[in-house]
Amino acid sequence: MTAPDTRSARVKAGALEVEHVALELGGRSILKDASFSVAAGEFIGVLGPNGAGKTTLMRAMLGLLPLSKGTIRVNGEAVVRGNPSVGYMPQTRSGLAGRHLRGRDFVAMAADGHRWGLPRASAAARADVDRVLDLVGGRTLATRPLSELSGGERQRLLLAQCLLGDPKLLLLDEPLISLDPRHQTGVVDLVRSVQRELGITVLFSAHELNPLLNSIDRVLYLGNGRAALGTIDEVITKPVLSQLYGSPIDVMRVNGRIFVMAGDVEVDKLDHAHEDGPEGHSHSHDHDHGHDHGHDHGHAHHHTGTHSHDV
Ligand SMILES: Nc1ncnc2c1ncn2[C@@H]1O[C@H](COP(=O)(O)OP(=O)(O)O)[C@@H](O)[C@H]1O
Ligand SMILES: [Mg+2]
């Protein structure tokens, strides 16, 4: 074993090292040959069309899916399932809105279940729950039932859950899904501030680049079985994205926002339409909880365009 990854050691390189990784699901190639490395303390936006493999890659980093090729190292060590130094917020989070559970109990549930496996919370577990509630500014949510919280407030508790046990790497899978733009900004800002305070590494996947634009250090863009990691200026370009989408892409910058266009359609909107389609498998959108989305879901666009690069 290598030296322990203490913060005082200032281990800079290798929070995450992905080398020539290929991933398959049901005999289908999802990622062909991805190599990149993320330094400790980076905040990485994970983008790419729906079905590009963002969720699959995160699951591979958690050891939930075997690699068909290559290696992934987390904090210098081979991936192992249940690694306490990796926190995970899965993409599917349906059903929370209907829960009458108090906020604190919801966070504690994860502490009891995953970390300690005890029927009753130990003092250490309770202290950890308090710690993560404080980190996300969630003490006032602790006594309220989940059913009374806004999507943004529930998202805070979900973030608190994955901070239990003090992970060094957080994998957050689409935390912005179904949130209106104001709550989206709130969630991104919160993750950014917690990430900086703790000095941890964060991978944050999203449909849209713009909500992340001012917060992320670099972007990991997936598409066409490939992965590109770099600064926004390096990755969000015509040549790189055209390769990742497998079709001509235009990049437009307007008033500090970036629009990635396939013909005259924004790719974000294509993705969103796709997610509700027949291949949407188990993903839930939480569409029906009665809050305003405030943006166009692009249901009017037909699906064929997004499937062409998906083989
Ligand atoms: N169990 C499975 N068997 C076969 N294909 C799957 C399975 N689960 C997901 N997929 C497919 O794998 C691809 C990658 O999915 P996913 O990682 O969820 O993409 P993303 O998170 O980027 O939207 C998609 O095309 C999806 O349909
Ligand atoms: Mg996904």
Side-chain angles (χ1 to χ4, degrees):
M1 230 180 89
T2 50
D5 182 12
T6 57
R7 263 206 271 166
S8 58
R10 291 269 162 237
V11 179
K12 266 296 161 209
L16 188 59
E17 286 157 72
V18 172
E19 283 173 16
H20 301 295
V21 164
L23 296 174
E24 287 171 20
L25 279 177
R28 197 164 143 233
S29 167
I30 307 296
L31 217 54
K32 289 186 195 103
D33 183 16
S35 296
F36 57 87
S37 108
V38 173
E42 281 197 285
F43 185 2
I44 304 288
V46 182
L47 275 295
N50 208 277
K54 302 180 290 295
T55 297
T56 305
L57 179 58
M58 285 189 180
R59 289 174 51 79
M61 289 168 179
L62 290 159
L64 299 175
L65 179 77
L67 313 180
S68 21
K69 248 182 50 189
T71 55
I72 299 181
R73 277 190 302 275
V74 173
N75 300 325
E77 296 185 13
V79 162
V80 280
R81 197 185 283 217
N83 183 347
S85 75
V86 185
Y88 178 46
M89 184 194 287
Q91 177 171 341
T92 306
R93 297 179 292 272
S94 55
L96 287 185
R99 305 286 296 267
H100 291 284
L101 206 63
R102 290 185 315 155
R104 188 178 203 288
D105 296 332
F106 174 65
V107 174
M109 230 167 51
D112 295 340
H114 298 315
R115 311 279 173 187
W116 284 274
L118 297 170
R120 278 191 298 143
S122 67
R126 282 197 303 273
D128 204 31
V129 171
D130 289 337
R131 182 186 67 89
V132 298
L133 281 171
D134 285 340
L135 274 170
V136 303
R139 282 289 183 119
T140 57
L141 308 177
T143 54
R144 294 167 59 197
L146 285 190
S147 54
E148 284 179 13
L149 304 182
S150 72
E153 288 169 334
R154 279 197 291 273
Q155 210 54 260
R156 269 189 212 218
L157 296 177
L158 287 161
L159 179 62
Q161 273 192 340
C162 60
L163 290 166
L164 287 165
D166 210 10
K168 299 288 170 270
L169 171 66
L170 277 193
L171 306 177
L172 308 179
D173 201 358
E174 306 252 10
L176 304 184
I177 267 187
S178 85
L179 295 180
D180 62 50
R182 187 172 53 89
H183 284 132
Q184 288 188 1
T185 311
V187 168
V188 174
D189 290 350
L190 174 66
V191 172
R192 179 53 154 170
S193 73
V194 169
Q195 179 260 335
R196 283 202 164 140
E197 183 177 344
L198 298 176
I200 59 179
T201 311
V202 172
L203 265 61
F204 187 124
S205 74
H207 268 84
E208 292 181 73
L209 177 62
N210 285 307
L212 293 172
L213 216 47
N214 297 319
S215 301
I216 54 177
D217 295 311
R218 293 195 295 164
V219 61
L220 173 64
Y221 218 110
L222 304 183
N224 230 353
R226 297 191 178 88
L229 178 75
T231 63
I232 286 174
D233 286 344
E234 288 165 348
V235 172
I236 310 302
T237 65
K238 253 172 118 145
V240 172
L241 293 185
S242 295
Q243 198 184 39
L244 293 178
Y245 279 86
S247 57
I249 293 291
D250 272 317
V251 177
M252 295 178 7
R253 290 167 189 257
V254 183
N255 294 332
R257 289 164 63 84
I258 299 181
F259 297 93
V260 178
M261 311 289 294
D264 58 359
V265 181
E266 253 187 276
V267 295
D268 296 345
K269 308 300 187 232
L270 284 174
D271 295 345
H272 228 89
H274 183 171
E275 184 161 277
D276 289 337
E279 282 186 18
H281 45 104
S282 64
H283 296 173
S284 162
H285 244 208
D286 290 359
H287 264 174
D288 45 0
H289 299 309
H291 56 260
D292 262 327
H293 289 290
H295 69 282
D296 171 21
H297 285 281
H299 290 291
H301 304 302
H302 57 84
H303 292 171
T304 47
T306 54
H307 285 270
S308 57
H309 55 76
D310 211 23
V311 279

